[in-house]
């Protein structure tokens, strides 16, 4: 969300506040975001494991971050299924 309103793409004013929602039941999962347009999920084709990308950071629903420059934000939710298994949302 940008300044408290849902926004799917497009421009925003410098200084806008970015926040996220987690639609999973009970807020299950961790929201990972990047600001450089890269995928927050990094996939290792050798081990066939996905992990958070080096450029990814977490953003807790209800918290916000100020956008002070032109950025391309990408976000995914990683949900722990137990036993070392995780499920990643779509971008």
């Amino acid at each position: 969300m940008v300044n408290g309103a849902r926004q799917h793409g497009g421009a925003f004013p410098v200084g806008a506040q970015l926040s996220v929602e987690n639609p999973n039941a009970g807020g299950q999962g961790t929201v990972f975001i990047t600001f450089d347009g890269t995928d927050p999920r990094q996939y290792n084709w050798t081990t066939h494991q996905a992990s958070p990308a080096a450029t990814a950071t977490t953003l807790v629903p209800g918290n916000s971050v100020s956008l002070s420059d032109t950025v391309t934000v990408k976000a995914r939710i990683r949900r722990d299924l137990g036993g070392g298994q995780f499920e990643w949302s779509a971008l």
Side-chain angles (χ1 to χ4, degrees):
M1 296 194 307
V2 176
N3 294 332
R6 288 190 176 115
Q7 181 171 335
H8 302 281
F12 51 83
V14 171
Q17 295 295 307
L18 173 72
S19 60
V20 294
E21 294 179 320
N22 184 341
N24 291 332
Q28 295 177 352
T30 303
V31 180
F32 289 91
I33 61 172
T34 59
F35 296 99
D36 61 2
T38 60
D39 192 337
R41 178 186 69 180
Q42 179 177 339
Y43 192 78
N44 183 321
W45 290 98
T46 303
T47 63
H48 300 287
Q49 297 287 336
S51 61
T55 58
T57 187
T58 60
L59 184 57
V60 176
N63 290 351
S64 64
V65 62
S66 180
L67 301 173
S68 60
D69 202 353
T70 300
V71 295
T72 300
V73 178
K74 301 275 180 140
R76 286 186 186 264
I77 299 172
R78 184 181 77 168
R79 193 167 60 101
D80 189 346
L81 301 175
Q85 299 295 312
F86 298 94
E87 176 181 73
W88 287 83
S89 70
L91 285 171

